[in-house]
Amino acid sequence: MMEQTLSIIKPDAVAKNVVGQILARFEEAGLRIAATKKIRLSRVDAEAFYAVHKDRPFFKDLVDFMISGPVVVSVLEGENAMAKNRELMGATNPKEAAPGTIRADFADSIDANAVHGSDSLENAAIEIAFFFPQREIY
Ligand code: GDP
């Protein structure tokens, strides 16, 4: 099924200068970059984006990390884009991420884990609308 999903290249990966390498992995897997931009999240933005985690013990660390530097947000489009992106990303904890995944190759810790990807089609639609007006998605 043709789908769209949201990807965020987190501040650690942007600082490592591997944005192009990560975007290339999406393209090599057959996903198309329908929209992309580099932005710096405000604290209000990051808290709203991760609102589902607001009661978790790691919430403050997560927000602090996500606003520590610019991020690259993209809309990825293709067959099974949501699940395909999650597969390319690897497990949340890079120590558990399968070899060859983005997190295994570029992430250092569970906080600084290189990428975010929507975890359901419902969340993908919400997350895409959070960052991109329809006129910026092609
Ligand atoms: P994801 O969908 O694989 O990104 O994982 P989740 O949606 O469960 O968590 C969102 C983000 O919160 C993760 O990417 C991590 O950066 C962070 N996170 C999740 N679990 C933990 C944890 O146990 N400790 C810390 N410090 N951060 C966590």
Side-chain angles (χ1 to χ4, degrees):
M1 196 175 56
M2 208 57 166
E3 293 176 357
Q4 289 184 338
T5 192
L6 186 88
S7 161
I8 305 179
I9 302 179
K10 294 187 179 184
D12 57 320
V14 173
K16 280 184 182 167
N17 208 24
V18 294
V19 169
Q21 290 185 62
I22 292 174
L23 292 178
R25 289 188 181 207
F26 300 142
E27 293 183 330
E28 282 157 10
L31 297 175
R32 223 172 47 73
I33 297 163
T36 193
K37 61 187 173 189
K38 182 186 260 186
I39 57 173
R40 186 155 185 173
L41 299 179
S42 67
R43 183 170 294 277
V44 170
D45 285 339
E47 286 177 353
F49 184 78
Y50 280 116
V52 292
H53 293 309
K54 69 179 189 313
D55 297 325
R56 308 282 284 276
F58 57 83
F59 182 68
K60 186 172 184 299
D61 286 345
L62 174 60
V63 169
D64 285 345
F65 172 66
M66 289 301 289
I67 67 174
S68 66
V71 298
V72 173
V73 290
S74 305
V75 176
L76 306 179
E77 185 178 272
E79 294 279 324
N80 301 313
M82 190 278 292
K84 197 176 271 182
N85 179 42
R86 297 286 304 183
E87 206 178 299
L88 293 170
M89 288 164 57
T92 307
N93 184 345
K95 291 194 184 84
E96 291 160 13
T101 60
I102 293 167
R103 283 167 167 166
D105 291 345
F106 300 117
D108 298 322
S109 68
I110 197 160
D111 294 289
N113 65 358
V115 280
H116 165 86
S118 309
D119 63 2
S120 69
L121 282 183
E122 190 190 354
N123 284 340
I126 294 167
E127 293 179 357
I128 289 168
F130 187 88
F131 287 111
F132 294 99
Q134 199 54 47
R135 68 178 183 280
E136 292 182 10
I137 303 170
Y138 295 98

